[in-house]
Amino acid sequence: MILNEIFHSIQGEGLNAGKPAVFVRFGNCNLKCTFCDSRFTWHKAESDNREVEIAEVFEEIRKYPDCKHLVITGGEPLLQQDAISAIRREFSDYYIEVETNGSQECRCYEDVNLFTVSYKTGNSGNAPYELKTKNEKCVYKFVIRRKDDFNEIEAVIKHYALPSGKVFLMPEGVSRDEVLRKHQFVADFCKSRGYNFSTRLQILNWGNERRK
């Protein structure tokens, strides 16, 4: 499989924000977001991915025996669904959360406890795409750069009939100041529409430092 890194930290976003987790970051992505904070998983000039045997991944996860919450992220993890299924078989009692852009058909539904689907709208610089990862295990996270983003995001929510209680809106930013500048207007919009607000705890705590 193509792996980027494995580390122990705190989940910074979405439904499980604040929970300790082991992050398994897969390499490669099918999208190229202008605001991506993990370009090192896909950008030709910056990538430090490596090809590994799945047994090496198992060994790295076992270095954190007291943490049984796995966050499989990327890149785009659903490009390597066989690896996700292999991790589930090896760690059958773990809680497994997958972070995905939602562009892939899901074949590993039974192996995952939660899909955090971060659908990328026009503010990411990507062309529109079909949301294919959509099931009862999903929550849906949208990145907000400016107030103008709300109309497009609400159109996506309406088109796919996403339950408001499963929608998270999150301010974009790779510095503490950037994230905090957007907190108030994103939180106010969530309150007015019944959506969930998510900050970026990892940025507030450590900035854009890797493996944090």
Side-chain angles (χ1 to χ4, degrees):
M1 66 163 289
I2 306 301
L3 177 71
N4 187 271
E5 59 187 1
I6 299 176
F7 59 96
H8 182 235
S9 188
I10 298 293
Q11 172 60 291
E13 304 170 1
L15 183 65
N16 289 315
K19 294 185 178 181
V22 176
F23 287 77
V24 183
R25 188 182 299 282
F26 287 18
N28 295 342
C29 190
N30 59 310
L31 300 183
K32 305 293 182 282
C33 297
T34 56
F35 53 61
C36 182
D37 59 2
S38 54
R39 287 164 59 91
F40 50 84
T41 64
W42 57 264
H43 193 279
K44 186 175 181 180
E46 301 177 31
S47 172
D48 55 3
N49 297 330
R50 64 190 194 278
E51 189 167 356
V52 301
E53 297 295 330
I54 195 70
E56 182 177 332
V57 176
F58 299 162
E59 184 178 347
E60 288 292 315
I61 292 172
R62 290 195 184 97
K63 290 181 178 179
Y64 311 99
D66 295 329
C67 185
K68 294 190 174 183
H69 185 142
L70 297 182
V71 177
I72 299 178
T73 186
E76 175 46 60
L78 293 188
L79 298 176
Q80 302 186 80
Q81 296 189 46
D82 289 345
I84 295 173
S85 297
I87 291 170
R88 164 56 75 202
R89 288 192 297 271
E90 189 70 15
F91 299 95
S92 59
D93 60 336
Y94 278 47
Y95 182 97
I96 296 180
E97 175 179 353
V98 169
E99 298 183 337
T100 173
N101 59 39
S103 65
Q104 305 299 306
E105 295 285 355
C106 179
R107 296 181 285 99
C108 59
Y109 173 84
E110 298 295 337
D111 302 315
V112 175
N113 297 95
L114 176 72
F115 294 91
T116 298
V117 181
S118 184
Y119 183 86
K120 301 302 189 293
T121 53
N123 65 16
S124 70
N126 291 291
Y129 60 91
E130 181 185 355
L131 175 62
K132 295 181 179 179
T133 312
K134 184 175 178 289
N135 57 63
E136 61 268 29
K137 293 183 179 181
C138 291
V139 295
Y140 306 91
K141 184 176 66 180
F142 295 88
V143 175
I144 309 298
R145 303 188 85 173
R146 57 187 67 86
K147 293 180 181 180
D148 292 347
D149 295 336
F150 291 137
N151 287 339
E152 182 185 1
I153 287 168
E154 291 218 288
V156 172
I157 292 168
K158 181 178 180 180
H159 178 75
Y160 290 106
L162 305 182
S164 60
K166 289 193 169 188
V167 171
F168 288 77
L169 303 188
M170 183 182 74
E172 183 268 338
V174 293
S175 73
R176 180 183 177 88
D177 287 347
E178 273 187 291
V179 172
L180 289 177
R181 274 199 306 271
K182 300 168 186 174
H183 256 210
Q184 193 63 60
F185 76 79
V186 177
D188 286 345
F189 190 79
C190 288
K191 185 170 65 174
S192 72
R193 293 295 199 274
Y195 303 141
N196 300 288
F197 173 75
S198 174
T199 188
R200 307 193 72 200
L201 291 177
Q202 74 277 24
I203 299 296
L204 298 182
N205 288 340
W206 301 292
N208 201 28
E209 187 177 348
R210 283 186 67 172
R211 300 176 65 84
K212 294 291 189 181

